[in-house]
Amino acid sequence: MIKNDIREMGLTRVVVASCSPLMHEPTFRRAVQSAGLNPYLFQMANIREQCSWITENRELATERAKAIVNAAVMRVNFNEPLEVEKIPVNSNVLVVGGGITGIEAALQIADSGKKVYLVEKEPTIGGYMTRFDKTFPTLDCAACILTPKMVSVEQHENIELLTYSDVTDFSGYVGKFTAKIRKRPRYVDEDKCTGCGLCEEKCPLSVPSEFDCKLGKRKAIYRPFPQAVPNVPVIDREHCLYFTKNICKVCVKFCPHHAIDFEQKEKYIEVPVGSAILATGFDLFDASRIKEYGYGKLPNVITSIEFERLTHASGPTAGKIQLKNGNLPESVAIVHCVGSRDQNYNEHCSRVCCMYSLKTAHLVREKTDAKVYEFYIDMRAFGKGYEEFYKRVLHEDVTFIRGRVAEITDVAQNPSEEGKLIVVAEDTLLGIVRRIPVDMVVLSVGLEPRKDAGQLAHVFRISRSKDGFFLERHPKLAPVSTAGQGIYVAGACQSPKDIPDSVAQGAAAAANVLSFVDKGEIEMEPTIAILKEEACSGCKICIGLCPYGAINFDESSGRAVITSVLCKGCGVCVAACPSGAIEQQNFTNKQLMAEIEAICS
Amino acid sequence: MVIDLATRFEPKIVGFLCRWCAYTGADLAGLSRINYPPNITPIRVNCSGRVDPTLVLKALATGADGVLIAGCHPGDCHYINGNAKTIRRFKLLQRLLQQFGIEKERVRLEWVSASEGGRYARIVESMTEEIRSLGPLNWKKEMAIAA
């Protein structure tokens, strides 16, 4: 009907008075366009959701509907034909973070034939998962499922792996970004090194290994673990005898491929990409912040990640769960929600701790004869097979005590507590305070945003939610998109997640990227800010206000310049310009004034 | 007391609603059939940060008795921090209105998320009642006399 009228009567403007434009504005615009009229010469008057559906006062509602239609009619007079700009998309994709999420995203994209730059700040990819022993609820070994994927990344012809590197700057706009990446020096030539490991063997200096939570040792030239990808060691400048005392050089002497290069310098490279996925993961809560748990003071109070290294077959104890003195524990307490669900630290639930605590309990029962006490607040076994795993552990002779632990102390109150760690908690099911003496306490620490999350959010110009994790565009319907077009988030950098959810998000972000990379171009909303150059006084007020850095100052003309592809059309600069030199397309002052007059008269 | 609906003052309010949160929230109020006084007429903008104080003054000068500016909650702005700029601008606008002798209740800045249909309805309800008790602004008439 609309199409026929446009054709037969030669209409130049169209107003539809019906429902909310949020629903059908695109439908009507398409109809108008197919009849040969510019879609922006169409205006919608919403007389349903915000008029007829909110009152039973017919008289007033009718008056109001008239005003709404009148406003649309007056406004449409000033509507101008606008063109949707299409900009080409560079098909290269930047993935930041080489944990399981980033690996999944990178492999999905690379498999489709697109080039991926995978940036990882550690010397190896793999993330936290490389340090885990078993994974819940299936108890498959983390390395068995992860290392093949790591190798695929290394061997993939479409993935350029940049380890020991970070992104320092990210400029441009969707479809055409430039990422500036800092490559820190390894002091080992990646092209010459074959990963034979001779240098590590010969290096005379041993220091505590970060990978093993300082429970084990590594050399000053080291790979974090034997299956590191890339399989190239890195020299720890802080400890290496050459860098600290200008002696030694044993590695140089023994390296059969002359790969050691003490002269290596920090290097910056710039790569062109059309989109980016942030998969930078999480930090673990620092348990020493909770003084009453004694972590750092009481030797046998350890964190869950330390437990992972203890129980790991290739960890510092070769998988033996032991106390600091080498004895086997006769009893172990596992404390949930350390740093999570706690107003003093993090209010959020870290989501994975209930399940990995159950796994901890299972592994202790499997490998030792120790009695296990598990202190929980609520048991959250939400995923596929999780409840079943909980039931299984319930039958493995583990004592579950419902209550938050108040204190862990070595001050005994009676002979049975002598030489033990005493875990004090209110058992909320029995309504009494209990003191449980044990040999070892495992603190199930929660997940936090990474310490550099704020800095990274700034580099990529995206927002963070109140808890400090990256903010998604919509919590339900756009969970991996961000307010920054072409920039996606996946995995635990958005909120705490387990491995299955992280992998799912990595793949989801890859699909999001591919959907517009594959099309080759994206359409830009034309409701952007336009500068009337002759009216600009060069006061620069707009420049500081633009949240996207889309406005710059041109020294030669003394005026502002708007980069239209960067403009998202918020209109903040339009409202602020004291000379009225900036207009927002389809939201011009004329259009809005016409609406106001029509409503008020 | 019986209120004579026929002669009761019905204030005219112009609402500047950001399309992402407030406008969607107002739509939700309708979809949920939440009743509120039909005294507000919405104008859709992309961001509350687009609302130039001139637009507010224009509305008051042409016959509106009140103006509502509604956007996303602070921290939730679709345009990173457009609403933060609205807050700053609004404070100055309030001072200006005070100098014009306009009661501050007539112009309000509120945050309505896309899920807060009920909140939007309550805001409009309370605003309508407040302005009704203040009476008409009559700025249009006064300006005509002054001219």
Side-chain angles (χ1 to χ4, degrees):
Chain A
M1 197 168 75
I2 297 171
K3 287 185 207 173
N4 284 342
D5 283 355
I6 292 173
R7 286 196 198 104
E8 283 166 21
M9 300 198 262
L11 300 180
T12 56
R13 299 282 193 279
V14 175
V15 172
V16 171
S18 60
C19 52
S20 169
L22 297 185
M23 187 68 190
H24 281 305
E25 192 174 54
T27 319
F28 287 118
R29 276 190 178 157
R30 273 198 300 274
V32 167
Q33 189 172 25
S34 68
L37 197 63
N38 185 286
Y40 289 88
L41 298 175
F42 161 80
Q43 188 65 38
M44 202 153 177
N46 177 6
I47 54 169
R48 192 173 75 170
E49 279 86 348
Q50 298 189 34
C51 184
S52 67
W53 279 358
I54 54 112
T55 182
E56 278 158 24
N57 185 337
R58 286 178 163 228
E59 216 169 301
L60 265 180
T62 308
E63 282 308 309
R64 186 165 162 209
K66 283 187 197 166
I68 293 171
V69 175
N70 193 18
V73 171
M74 296 312 282
R75 182 194 207 274
V76 84
N77 277 316
F78 297 102
N79 282 21
E80 283 164 22
L82 298 172
E83 291 305 323
V84 175
E85 203 184 337
K86 288 180 180 164
I87 57 168
V89 172
N90 185 319
S91 66
N92 298 345
V93 183
L94 176 74
V95 177
V96 188
I100 185 61
T101 311
I103 288 175
E104 177 68 23
L107 285 174
Q108 294 280 356
I109 295 166
D111 279 347
S112 80
K114 312 286 187 256
K115 168 112 186 165
V116 176
Y117 294 96
L118 178 58
V119 179
E120 166 61 50
K121 74 174 183 183
E122 297 293 328
T124 174
I125 58 168
Y128 274 103
M129 203 173 153
T130 54
R131 297 160 79 179
F132 300 161
D133 179 30
K134 299 281 195 308
T135 53
F136 64 78
T138 45
L139 297 173
D140 31 13
C141 100
C144 311
I145 54 177
L146 177 65
T147 43
K149 276 188 176 280
M150 290 166 63
V151 173
S152 306
V153 167
E154 190 182 30
Q155 292 176 346
H156 209 296
E157 55 177 8
N158 292 329
I159 298 180
E160 186 166 333
L161 186 55
L162 299 155
T163 49
Y164 218 41
S165 304
D166 37 35
V167 180
T168 56
D169 189 47
F170 194 70
S171 57
Y173 44 87
V174 57
K176 197 182 176 204
F177 293 112
T178 303
K180 194 172 178 186
I181 298 161
R182 179 179 62 154
K183 285 194 79 171
R184 283 178 289 153
R186 277 176 184 268
Y187 305 108
V188 177
D189 190 326
E190 285 182 51
D191 296 329
K192 289 183 187 162
C193 174
T194 59
C196 68
L198 199 60
C199 54
E200 276 174 84
E201 203 183 305
K202 300 292 181 189
C203 176
L205 188 71
S206 288
V207 292
S209 154
E210 297 82 4
F211 186 83
D212 281 335
C213 306
K214 308 205 167 168
L215 299 171
K217 299 264 187 193
R218 63 161 170 85
K219 295 295 181 65
I221 183 166
Y222 70 104
R223 290 163 299 175
F225 66 110
Q227 292 116 313
V229 168
N231 190 16
V232 177
V234 50
I235 294 178
D236 165 13
R237 210 188 147 114
E238 235 178 276
H239 295 102
C240 169
L241 293 173
Y242 172 77
F243 282 111
T244 53
K245 298 187 180 132
N246 202 14
I247 51 170
C248 184
K249 282 194 174 186
V250 165
C251 50
V252 180
K253 198 169 114 199
F254 282 98
C255 178
H257 306 285
H258 312 290
I260 311 290
D261 178 7
F262 289 123
E263 300 306 314
Q264 245 182 28
K265 294 271 175 304
E266 201 173 78
K267 224 169 52 183
Y268 284 87
I269 59 165
E270 285 190 356
V271 296
V273 295
S275 53
I277 297 173
L278 302 185
T280 49
F282 59 91
D283 273 345
L284 285 171
F285 176 76
D286 173 10
S288 66
R289 286 172 64 194
I290 308 182
K291 297 275 178 279
E292 40 302 7
Y293 286 180
Y295 177 75
K297 281 191 301 201
L298 304 170
N300 288 312
V301 176
I302 63 170
T303 62
S304 42
I305 189 76
E306 288 169 353
F307 177 84
E308 292 290 343
R309 296 315 298 155
L310 278 187
T311 186
H312 200 288
S314 57
T317 58
K320 196 171 150 204
I321 300 167
Q322 62 182 33
L323 300 172
K324 285 280 147 68
N325 62 12
N327 292 344
L328 290 179
E330 286 169 16
S331 49
V332 176
I334 299 164
V335 180
H336 285 225
C337 299
V338 177
S340 308
R341 305 181 70 196
D342 187 334
Q343 284 182 354
N344 299 317
Y345 306 102
N346 293 311
E347 273 187 56
H348 65 256
C349 163
S350 290
R351 215 172 145 91
V352 293
C353 324
C354 279
M355 292 312 296
Y356 80 58
S357 299
L358 289 172
K359 179 191 72 180
T360 306
H362 169 83
L363 291 175
V364 174
R365 291 296 300 148
E366 186 183 72
K367 293 188 173 182
T368 72
D369 294 325
K371 182 109 189 64
V372 176
Y373 300 91
E374 189 137 355
F375 294 86
Y376 69 102
I377 306 176
D378 298 292
M379 189 58 75
R380 296 184 169 174
F382 55 91
K384 185 171 181 176
Y386 292 8
E387 181 68 20
E388 292 84 337
F389 185 66
Y390 174 35
K391 289 237 173 79
R392 173 177 169 185
V393 178
L394 278 175
H395 289 104
E396 288 177 352
D397 207 10
V398 173
T399 306
F400 286 85
I401 298 170
R402 187 174 183 278
R404 186 189 279 282
V405 170
E407 189 189 7
I408 298 162
T409 174
D410 56 355
V411 180
Q413 285 187 356
N414 57 56
S416 73
E417 294 179 355
E418 292 291 344
K420 299 270 186 186
L421 294 166
I422 303 105
V423 182
V424 186
E426 185 193 348
D427 186 326
T428 55
L429 294 180
L430 296 178
I432 54 165
V433 175
R434 297 179 71 173
R435 292 173 63 88
I436 311 278
V438 294
D439 292 327
M440 176 191 267
V441 178
V442 182
L443 301 177
S444 295
V445 286
L447 276 52
E448 287 184 334
R450 287 202 87 103
K451 280 177 193 67
D452 60 359
Q455 199 188 331
L456 206 64
H458 184 71
V459 167
F460 285 88
R461 293 182 300 278
I462 61 167
S463 312
R464 294 196 294 159
S465 40
K466 210 172 70 187
D467 50 20
F469 289 102
F470 293 147
L471 183 66
E472 66 289 339
R473 193 155 65 79
H474 190 282
K476 295 176 186 67
L477 302 178
V480 297
S481 308
T482 67
Q485 223 182 341
I487 300 171
Y488 299 87
V489 291
C493 63
Q494 183 258 351
S495 76
K497 270 174 207 73
D498 55 17
I499 295 166
D501 286 358
S502 297
V503 171
Q505 278 214 332
N512 269 263
V513 161
L514 288 175
S515 75
F516 80 87
V517 165
D518 234 25
K519 214 170 151 195
E521 56 183 22
I522 49 163
E523 296 186 342
M524 304 294 285
E525 269 280 313
T527 55
I528 52 169
I530 300 291
L531 182 80
K532 287 180 280 183
E533 276 184 38
E534 67 284 1
C536 175
S537 68
C539 72
K540 302 185 189 175
I541 286 178
C542 53
I543 294 173
L545 288 174
C546 178
Y548 303 101
I551 315 181
N552 289 301
F553 188 68
D554 179 21
E555 295 290 345
S556 63
S557 67
R559 288 171 181 150
V561 181
I562 301 175
T563 312
S564 57
V565 275
L566 284 180
C567 175
K568 300 268 193 296
C570 63
V572 165
C573 57
V574 184
C577 178
S579 334
I582 313 178
E583 271 292 14
Q584 184 180 9
Q585 297 198 125
N586 207 34
F587 289 93
T588 60
N589 279 330
K590 271 189 191 164
Q591 286 169 306
L592 297 178
M593 291 288 188
E595 273 190 87
I596 294 167
E597 272 185 50
I599 293 168
C600 295
S601 60
Chain B
M1 197 179 79
V2 181
I3 300 167
D4 184 357
L5 287 176
T7 59
R8 188 173 71 160
F9 165 54
E10 291 296 347
K12 200 177 268 182
I13 303 170
V14 174
F16 292 101
L17 312 184
C18 94
R19 69 178 278 193
W20 304 101
C21 295
Y23 197 92
T24 317
D27 267 0
L28 181 65
L31 285 165
S32 326
R33 305 298 196 278
I34 301 173
N35 268 28
Y36 63 87
N39 294 62
I40 186 164
T41 310
I43 293 178
R44 189 164 63 121
V45 288
N46 275 2
C47 177
S48 61
R50 170 66 182 89
V51 183
D52 185 338
T54 328
L55 298 176
V56 177
L57 296 175
K58 173 79 176 178
L60 297 175
T62 46
D65 302 297
V67 173
L68 171 69
I69 305 167
C72 310
H73 285 267
D76 284 349
C77 181
H78 183 81
Y79 300 101
I80 303 179
N81 55 10
N83 52 8
K85 286 143 195 169
T86 315
I87 298 175
R88 276 151 46 185
R89 199 175 286 147
F90 182 71
K91 291 211 167 126
L92 291 174
L93 176 63
Q94 273 183 317
R95 277 209 222 160
L96 186 71
L97 292 172
Q98 204 184 356
Q99 287 170 3
F100 283 145
I102 293 175
E103 301 88 343
K104 69 175 191 332
E105 291 80 7
R106 290 191 188 271
V107 181
R108 269 166 64 164
L109 173 62
E110 295 281 358
W111 313 122
V112 178
S113 84
S115 60
E116 293 177 326
R119 179 178 157 81
Y120 179 75
R122 284 197 303 278
I123 289 169
V124 176
E125 203 165 54
S126 78
M127 207 175 158
T128 308
E129 285 314 312
E130 265 181 19
I131 297 176
R132 181 173 283 139
S133 64
L134 289 174
L137 180 62
N138 282 335
W139 231 31
K140 194 180 175 186
K141 227 182 273 173
E142 281 173 30
M143 299 243 288
I145 294 165

